[in-house]
Amino acid sequence: MFDIFGDDEESDDPGNVQEPDLAPKVRDPSDRFEIDPPAVPDLSESDADPEILKEFWVQVLLFNISLFTLSLGLMLVGFERRWKFGGLLIVVGVVTFARGYKRYRSVQKD
């Protein structure tokens, strides 16, 4: 069969011969070192008191709601002039922040 130049593929052309791999073989110097990785402690079991853990997640939820509603309410009032809905979100944000802060202070006193 002929290629696009009209040459026969099965010819004895030295250009068709596979060239030997001339890249030098190099040994990796890090192979001689033994690597002892540090041990990671097992954190699958929680050491926290279940009551404190529950309180933590309640406060995370309260402050996340507060941050979201305050920021969205301020943007609605500031950019869109939606006073009723934006104002309601601001009030919800302030109330949830006050509730979360009150719970936080009560846990700190205990």
Side-chain angles (χ1 to χ4, degrees), residues 3-77:
D3 62 3
I4 60 172
F5 299 112
D7 296 328
D8 189 11
E9 288 182 7
E10 296 178 9
S11 67
D12 293 332
D13 185 20
N16 290 339
V17 177
Q18 290 285 341
E19 292 185 18
D21 186 18
L22 299 176
K25 304 292 185 224
V26 179
R27 228 175 31 98
D28 187 10
S30 66
D31 288 343
R32 63 183 174 185
F33 299 115
E34 291 184 25
I35 299 173
D36 187 22
V40 178
D42 182 24
L43 299 177
S44 61
E45 295 182 17
S46 177
D47 293 338
D49 183 28
E51 183 180 330
I52 293 174
L53 195 59
K54 178 184 173 244
E55 185 64 33
F56 169 78
W57 286 113
V58 167
Q59 288 183 15
V60 165
L61 183 65
L62 284 172
F63 286 117
N64 281 342
I65 291 171
S66 173
L67 180 65
F68 177 73
T69 55
L70 275 172
S71 59
L72 184 61
L74 288 172
M75 285 191 286
L76 285 174
V77 169

Side-chain angles (χ1 to χ4, degrees), residues 62-100:
L62 284 172
F63 286 117
N64 281 342
I65 291 171
S66 173
L67 180 65
F68 177 73
T69 55
L70 275 172
S71 59
L72 184 61
L74 288 172
M75 285 191 286
L76 285 174
V77 169
F79 297 129
E80 305 246 340
R81 302 289 183 230
R82 294 177 64 185
W83 291 97
K84 286 184 181 180
F85 188 60
L88 176 67
L89 287 176
I90 292 172
V91 169
V92 169
V94 168
V95 168
T96 55
F97 182 82
R99 177 80 173 142

